[in-house]
Amino acid sequence: MAGKLYMVPTPVGNLDDMSPRAIEVLKKVTLILAEDTRTSSQLTRHFDISTPMSSHHKFNEHDTVDHVIERLEGGEDIALITDAGTPGISDPGFLLSRACREADIEVETLPGPTAFVPALVNSGLPCDRFCFEGFLPPKKGRATRITALANDPRTFIVYESPLRLVKTLGELATSCGPDRKASVSREISKLHNETVNGTLQQLITHFTENQPRGEIVIVVGGNNDSSQPKVHKNKYAPDND
């Protein structure tokens, strides 16, 4: 009888967000696949989890999937965790989950932490319908993707690094207009977590004057004004990369 793959969310900040069930699963499986074993070792030590761990990340997942499937087909239960949050959400996980489905191996994803949900709710922007974009393309297709999001009537969410935050806010202001309502959340559930709400222009000003740190989630209100111009001259984005 084949084993089961468990997709186990881990805290995005505060370790107290780790659920008792997630700890139980990680203790009972045969193997833990981790995005970064050094980062995950801190988690397992904290919760006294002694299960063997192996590396599984975006640079090796194509090479390791077949071996993992073989072990699952042999009856082992295996868990996949990432550095923070739910596997598959802008992190490794999709490829292995798909391979398991194709091999008729059961996959069970535990509910748990993910950064964009608290950021969306904290923003105060409509969350009955929304679009999660993850990280924007770094170069090719980036402008096209931003334009499409700018014209979407739904609230949309993107992840960004602190080093590129102001530049990205400027690009969003170009397509969405500087007065579009938005929100930036950082360091979610950590000691110095912060959510700043305002227009895109206000956020550009704030984070130009206050250098951002930590993991960043940008939430932008949808385009509900049919008279709004589709493209705006960008005088807000900085020249530097």
Side-chain angles (χ1 to χ4, degrees):
M1 181 177 178
K4 180 190 290 189
L5 174 67
Y6 291 91
M7 309 285 261
V8 181
T10 55
V12 296
N14 193 323
L15 289 179
D16 288 340
D17 293 335
M18 188 76 169
S19 74
R21 185 179 172 214
I23 296 170
E24 178 186 0
V25 167
L26 294 182
K27 286 184 175 181
K28 78 174 186 178
V29 296
T30 302
L31 174 68
I32 298 172
L33 301 174
E35 183 180 8
D36 188 326
T37 55
R38 294 166 299 179
T39 299
S40 296
S41 291
Q42 300 175 30
L43 179 79
T44 55
R45 283 196 300 268
H46 182 83
F47 292 106
D48 195 25
I49 298 168
S50 58
T51 306
M53 192 181 306
S54 180
S55 178
H56 183 87
H57 48 72
K58 66 180 181 179
F59 300 108
N60 74 354
E61 59 181 339
H62 286 84
D63 298 324
T64 59
V65 162
D66 289 343
H67 178 63
V68 174
I69 294 296
E70 288 178 5
R71 294 187 64 164
L72 288 163
E73 289 177 331
E76 295 185 57
D77 290 334
I78 297 176
L80 173 64
I81 61 176
T82 57
D83 291 350
T86 300
I89 305 298
S90 294
D91 276 321
F94 162 72
L95 189 66
L96 182 56
S97 177
R98 181 180 64 181
C100 285
R101 299 297 184 191
E102 292 173 349
D104 291 325
I105 294 170
E106 185 178 358
V107 178
E108 182 173 353
T109 301
L110 276 61
T114 187
F116 79 81
V117 173
L120 172 62
V121 176
N122 281 347
S123 72
L125 294 167
C127 53
D128 53 335
R129 297 176 66 241
F130 61 89
C131 171
F132 173 67
E133 183 67 19
F135 288 96
L136 292 166
K139 293 181 180 179
K140 185 178 181 180
R142 183 180 178 90
T144 300
R145 190 73 219 127
I146 289 175
T147 299
L149 290 169
N151 293 324
D152 196 314
R154 298 171 295 176
T155 299
F156 66 88
I157 306 154
V158 297
Y159 287 164
E160 190 51 275
S161 77
L163 296 177
R164 293 186 59 89
L165 174 60
V166 173
K167 177 180 175 62
T168 296
L169 290 172
E171 292 172 327
L172 291 171
T174 299
S175 291
C176 297
D179 296 328
R180 181 80 67 90
K181 291 181 179 179
S183 172
V184 170
S185 293
R186 65 180 191 87
E187 298 288 76
I188 290 172
S189 87
K190 296 181 181 179
L191 180 62
H192 300 292
N193 70 87
E194 175 187 40
T195 294
V196 182
N197 299 305
T199 65
L200 284 168
Q201 174 55 40
Q202 289 170 333
L203 293 175
I204 291 169
T205 300
H206 175 83
F207 287 106
T208 299
E209 297 173 352
N210 302 274
Q211 183 177 358
R213 296 181 180 180
E215 301 296 325
I216 302 290
V217 184
I218 305 171
V219 184
V220 183
N223 181 12
N224 295 308
D225 183 359
S226 60
S227 66
Q228 180 173 307
K230 300 301 182 182
V231 178
H232 299 257
K233 182 179 180 181
N234 184 9
K235 58 182 178 181
Y236 304 100
D239 294 330
N240 61 305
D241 291 330

